[in-house]
Every structure is written in C-alpha cells, then in structure tokens.
Amino acid sequence: CKYMGTVIGTSSFGLSENQKIEYAFNEVRNKAALLGANTVLIVSTDSMFKGTAVRGKAYDCPEENKNIPIGPHLIFSPGDSQ
C-alpha cells in the first residue's frame, strides 16, 4: 500500500453520540477519497463533550487487498478503542 496522508474527521456539537462517531468516520472516508486512498487505518478516536475526532492514515492499496468493494474502508489499529 502507498501512504497518501493523514486524515482527520470531526463531528459537531448537538448530535447523539452515535451520530457524532458516524459523522466523523464519514468525514475521514471522504477526505481519504479526495487523496485517492481506498483504505484508512484509524489511529485514534477522541470523544469530547463538544464532539468527536477521528484520526487516520490514508493508503492506496492494490485492488486484490481490498475487502470491501466500496471504499475507502476503515481498518482499526490494534491500540484503538473502537
């Protein structure tokens, strides 16, 4: 896989906890797609009173390595709590 860059997704205040997390993950996917990546390794998630932040490393991986046909898809690092 080729490293494409770091991506960060955030949510806004006022959503439910699940909506905050979903929105932040979607933002990470969208930013990774803009970089030309098809895989994101999630390296940290942080939920705060005002929102949630997700940080990931975006990669462009060969087609044979993709597990999900619609990307970018997320892979969680072993140390992440998600």
Side-chain angles (χ1 to χ4, degrees):
C1 296
K2 178 182 175 186
Y3 177 71
M4 304 299 285
T6 297
V7 289
I8 298 172
T10 58
S11 64
S12 62
F13 180 73
L15 302 172
S16 73
E17 189 64 29
N18 286 341
Q19 288 174 325
K20 290 178 192 178
I21 293 168
E22 182 180 343
Y23 183 84
F25 283 140
N26 285 337
E27 189 172 317
V28 162
R29 284 186 187 98
N30 291 338
K31 288 181 176 181
L34 289 173
L35 293 176
N38 59 22
T39 302
V40 179
L41 173 65
I42 301 300
V43 295
S44 67
T45 58
D46 187 21
S47 291
M48 303 160 281
F49 177 72
K50 292 185 178 181
T52 298
V54 176
R55 183 174 170 267
K57 294 181 178 183
Y59 294 91
D60 182 26
C61 296
E63 291 295 319
E64 62 269 10
N65 290 340
K66 292 195 327 188
N67 296 326
I68 300 172
I70 300 173
H73 61 278
L74 305 177
I75 299 173
F76 294 92
S77 66
D80 190 50
S81 61
Q82 293 292 317

